[in-house]
Amino acid sequence: MHQRVISEMYRIIDVYFHVTDLNALLKTFVKDKISEGGSIWSDFTINCHHMLGGGSPDIYAAAAQTELIILSLDIMDDLQDQDNSDKPWMTCDRTYALNAIIAFLMASIGEISQNKATHMTEVLQLIARSINGQHRDLNHSVATENDYITMVQEKSSSLIHLSFCMGYLGLEECDPAILAHINEIAQYVGLAAQLNNDTRDITRIDQKNDILQKKKTLPILYLLKQSEDKFPPLHQYYNGLITREELIELKFEYQQYINESGCIEYAKTIQFLFANKAEELLESLPIDSPWKDKLKETVMAAVG
């Protein structure tokens, strides 16, 4: 993450939150985010801005706002899924973590409204769309592959769209056709990146495993189609006939079933198709700029 983005994140916290322990807690959460290494979100915002001909020194503040919005939603996701137990927002008082979500969102929106008030509707709509997708994930309403695609487009692709959007807000002469093209790229990037995560998570036997939470990701939907015959405990777990503990006791048989099922290969194939489509769309952008190459690098890193 760029040092100027980090400085802007801390500046925003200092501007909005004067209560000493709240200020310190929010900075602890930001430090944890930074410790993860590079972040695609601010890179998307900065690279998109420069690719479209922008040169505003305020782009680092916009990138910081992107990071804080995403961090707030990451915290919300962890609290809802009850995983990532080593994160500081999972080890502090739950009420403080909830306050931090509101703090990051409100401060970011406050900053955006000062400089790009006319674009607030688009930003808020994208955040709301992501929350709609998150709720689809939480209420287990995904039953088909089409349901999964819809959920991911709302939950994940909208946030890629948001990070691009934060890069072009305020640019005066952006071709609407190019912006539509960029936002189409966001849809495929979000799908490929989520599939990359879902394929990785299915092989884990811990709290990050989507099966333990009875989610229905694309690889899990593939597994469930054959589980009644080939691995009945999975079918039984999803239907409430055995407990989580009973399923975990079968972890070796479970891992063998996954390895032999073809679900990983299937999901990786779909992921490749989405990633390839995102790359093709990027290549076809009628823009000649080294920043397009930088954006492409960030996109390809995100989609695995």
Side-chain angles (χ1 to χ4, degrees):
M1 192 184 298
H2 198 289
Q3 185 58 49
R4 289 178 67 180
V5 175
I6 296 170
S7 297
E8 284 293 330
M9 292 169 78
Y10 289 142
R11 179 194 64 79
I12 292 169
I13 291 171
D14 285 338
V15 166
Y16 287 86
F17 306 106
H18 61 273
V19 176
T20 304
D21 60 327
L22 174 59
N23 184 288
L25 184 69
L26 297 177
K27 289 179 178 176
T28 297
F29 292 176
V30 168
K31 287 176 184 175
D32 184 86
K33 179 72 172 178
I34 295 166
S35 71
E36 294 177 353
S39 174
I40 62 167
W41 307 105
S42 51
D43 288 343
F44 279 151
T45 296
I46 294 167
N47 293 341
C48 186
H49 177 79
H50 289 299
M51 181 186 73
L52 293 172
S56 172
D58 294 333
I59 190 56
Y60 296 99
Q65 293 151 24
T66 301
E67 289 286 355
L68 292 179
I69 291 170
I70 299 300
L71 178 53
S72 72
L73 297 176
D74 282 346
I75 295 170
M76 181 179 73
D77 184 72
D78 285 347
L79 289 174
Q80 290 168 338
D81 289 345
Q82 285 298 292
D83 55 12
N84 272 349
S85 58
D86 60 336
K87 290 295 182 181
W89 46 84
M90 298 299 292
T91 57
C92 73
D93 188 306
R94 182 68 50 83
T95 59
Y96 290 178
L98 291 170
N99 206 32
I101 295 171
I102 298 168
F104 286 137
L105 277 175
M106 291 302 101
S108 300
I109 291 169
E111 289 287 295
I112 297 167
S113 66
Q114 289 184 40
N115 302 307
K116 304 180 180 72
T118 57
H119 299 283
M120 276 303 301
T121 299
E122 185 173 5
V123 171
L124 293 174
Q125 284 176 340
L126 288 168
I127 295 172
R129 187 167 186 252
S130 179
I131 293 170
N132 275 295
Q134 176 73 356
H135 194 75
R136 289 185 196 272
D137 197 21
L138 289 171
N139 69 9
H140 303 297
S141 62
V142 172
T144 68
E145 292 184 359
N146 285 336
D147 292 341
Y148 172 82
I149 296 298
T150 298
M151 181 271 290
V152 172
Q153 286 179 319
E154 291 180 341
K155 177 183 175 180
S156 304
S157 295
S158 61
L159 297 182
I160 304 291
H161 185 168
L162 172 69
S163 64
F164 289 164
C165 177
M166 291 295 291
Y168 61 69
L169 292 185
L171 294 180
E172 297 297 329
E173 298 181 358
C174 284
D175 184 341
I178 288 181
L179 295 186
H181 195 117
I182 289 172
N183 294 334
E184 186 179 2
I185 292 168
Q187 300 307 306
Y188 289 105
V189 174
L191 286 163
Q194 187 63 54
L195 266 171
N196 188 44
N197 290 339
D198 291 343
T199 305
R200 181 188 63 236
D201 289 350
I202 198 174
T203 61
R204 302 172 61 157
I205 300 293
D206 60 19
Q207 291 301 314
K208 285 290 288 179
N209 187 292
D210 289 331
I211 283 178
L212 296 183
Q213 299 184 48
K214 295 187 178 180
K215 292 188 176 183
K216 292 181 180 177
T217 63
L218 197 67
I220 292 172
L221 287 168
Y222 184 95
L223 286 174
L224 287 170
K225 285 179 182 178
Q226 2 178 350
S227 66
E228 191 168 6
D229 294 327
K230 296 186 177 180
F231 189 66
L234 182 61
H235 182 79
Q236 292 163 0
Y237 177 64
Y238 270 80
N239 285 282
L241 301 176
I242 66 171
T243 66
R244 173 184 294 202
E245 290 69 27
E246 288 173 314
L247 182 66
I248 291 173
E249 286 177 4
L250 299 170
K251 64 180 180 180
F252 296 113
E253 294 90 339
Y254 160 79
Q255 288 173 330
Q256 183 178 3
Y257 172 55
I258 286 177
N259 293 335
E260 295 175 353
S261 69
C263 75
I264 293 175
E265 292 80 4
Y266 172 70
K268 285 291 185 184
T269 299
I270 304 301
Q271 177 189 337
F272 173 79
L273 292 174
F274 287 142
N276 191 54
K277 184 63 177 178
E279 185 177 16
E280 287 178 357
L281 286 168
L282 257 172
E283 290 288 358
S284 67
L285 269 174
I287 295 173
D288 183 17
S289 166
W291 288 98
K292 185 167 92 169
D293 294 332
K294 288 182 178 292
L295 182 60
K296 180 181 173 181
E297 289 175 12
T298 310
V299 162
M300 299 317 294
V303 299

